Amino acid sequence: MINLNISKNSVLHEIGMLNSTDKAWHKKHTFLYEALFEKHGFSRDKKLNLLELGFSHGCSHLMWHDYFYNSNIVGVDHWNIHEYYQDRYMPEKHVKLGYYSRKRQDGTSVSKLDYINNLIKDDDRFSAYIGDQASEELVVKINKEHGLFDIIIDDASHEDEKTRGSFNNLFGCLKPGGLYIIEDLEDWGHQKQKNVRKDILNYSRRNSKFEYLNNFKNIDFVELLFSKNYVNVSENFVLGVIRKKHG
């Protein structure tokens, strides 16, 4: 188990709650992420390159944008963000949680969709791409426009084949010492990432090799983070962490 210094006063968690991402209000990944990033030298003020697969309503991307205030934040999703703001994808419980609005400093709210569109248009360090997460063509395009990444997070399809395709295509786009993180590797629920979970679990226990994912020679370590080992949550959510060797 990775030794993480979990802070009860997590700044990332507070920002995540303000942006209504389930990484904060439901899974509490924010506590683990902040401790993990600090452990590996990714402090808030650094100029980093972060890519997250799975843009959805943009909640977590806004969180990364606000937290890493000097960093470049890139998002990918197979749908245009406008699709997520159609009535059929706006359940009442999400409306109450603030998925679709963004609070201003004066306490008033603005449409989150409008806010994100303005960021994409006017903020050079916030961008979004539409396409398949495992598309080699899309990876080449993003790599050409943004270079290598310090952090890559896969919170997209949560399906074995696509998760594997993304890892195999994107690990080469990770900087030395960078972190590749895969979300939702639980052994309960939809369980659509059984092979990826098994691969990471076996690698971390035996420190050997992958059977399903690509065995890159410059992998430094592999670990599964079980949320209940660090925070008080109703269910044991799981993150897969793969770090690239320095140099």
Side-chain angles (χ1 to χ4, degrees):
M1 185 176 78
I2 299 177
N3 183 24
L4 296 179
N5 183 21
I6 303 294
S7 172
K8 293 181 180 180
N9 300 313
S10 167
V11 175
L12 181 60
H13 184 71
E14 181 180 345
I15 293 173
M17 291 296 290
L18 289 172
N19 284 295
S20 307
T21 171
D22 66 353
K23 285 179 172 60
W25 61 264
H26 183 43
K27 301 174 184 177
K28 297 186 180 179
H29 284 334
T30 41
F31 290 99
L32 278 66
Y33 271 125
E34 185 170 65
L36 184 67
F37 293 153
E38 289 180 356
K39 182 179 180 68
H40 293 284
F42 298 134
S43 58
R44 286 193 70 193
D45 60 337
K46 283 195 173 180
K47 189 174 183 180
L48 304 171
N49 225 6
L50 184 150
L51 168 65
E52 183 168 32
L53 308 176
F55 194 93
S56 184
H57 299 89
C59 300
S60 63
H61 288 72
L62 289 176
M63 175 184 72
W64 300 130
H65 176 268
D66 293 348
Y67 182 75
F68 290 119
Y69 50 82
N70 288 321
S71 296
N72 179 47
I73 310 300
V74 181
V76 172
D77 203 282
H78 69 297
W79 283 358
N80 187 303
I81 188 173
H82 293 81
E83 291 290 328
Y84 288 101
Y85 285 82
Q86 300 298 315
D87 288 343
R88 64 185 182 280
Y89 298 118
M90 296 174 67
E92 182 62 29
K93 69 175 183 178
H94 286 172
V95 173
K96 291 179 180 179
L97 287 167
Y99 261 44
Y100 314 108
S101 61
R102 164 92 177 190
K103 289 184 179 179
R104 297 189 180 99
Q105 290 184 341
D106 62 5
T108 60
S109 297
V110 63
S111 162
K112 187 173 285 183
L113 178 60
D114 290 343
Y115 185 83
I116 290 172
N117 281 333
N118 287 332
L119 277 181
I120 294 173
K121 178 183 176 183
D122 301 326
D123 194 328
D124 290 339
R125 63 182 194 88
F126 190 93
S127 53
Y129 293 82
I130 301 172
D132 190 300
Q133 70 175 90
S135 166
E136 291 187 39
E137 182 180 354
L138 182 60
V139 168
V140 169
K141 176 180 174 63
I142 292 174
N143 183 229
K144 182 178 180 180
E145 295 181 359
H146 297 279
L148 300 179
F149 291 89
D150 299 278
I151 300 165
I152 298 177
I153 300 170
D154 184 348
D155 188 19
S157 68
H158 309 305
E159 296 176 0
D160 267 331
E161 186 175 346
K162 288 186 178 294
T163 300
R164 176 176 62 175
S166 296
F167 175 76
N168 292 350
N169 291 335
L170 282 168
F171 192 76
C173 298
L174 199 62
K175 293 180 183 178
L179 295 175
Y180 195 102
I181 302 166
I182 303 172
E183 294 201 7
D184 293 349
L185 290 175
E186 297 84 26
D187 59 357
W188 48 269
H190 60 69
Q191 299 185 50
K192 293 181 179 179
Q193 297 184 112
K194 287 182 178 179
N195 291 318
V196 173
R197 174 193 166 91
K198 180 181 178 181
D199 226 21
I200 293 178
L201 187 61
N202 287 341
Y203 193 114
S204 64
R205 286 177 174 175
R206 301 170 187 168
N207 195 25
S208 55
K209 64 178 183 178
F210 288 133
E211 298 293 340
Y212 186 70
L213 302 173
N214 195 325
N215 273 294
F216 293 100
K217 293 182 180 179
N218 51 355
I219 291 176
D220 187 15
F221 77 79
V222 176
E223 186 72 64
L224 281 182
L225 298 184
F226 297 87
S227 57
K228 282 195 173 183
N229 289 336
Y230 303 96
V231 292
N232 182 21
V233 284
S234 58
E235 298 167 296
N236 203 11
F237 301 103
V238 185
L239 297 175
V241 181
I242 304 166
R243 188 172 74 176
K244 195 171 192 177
K245 288 182 179 178
H246 288 275

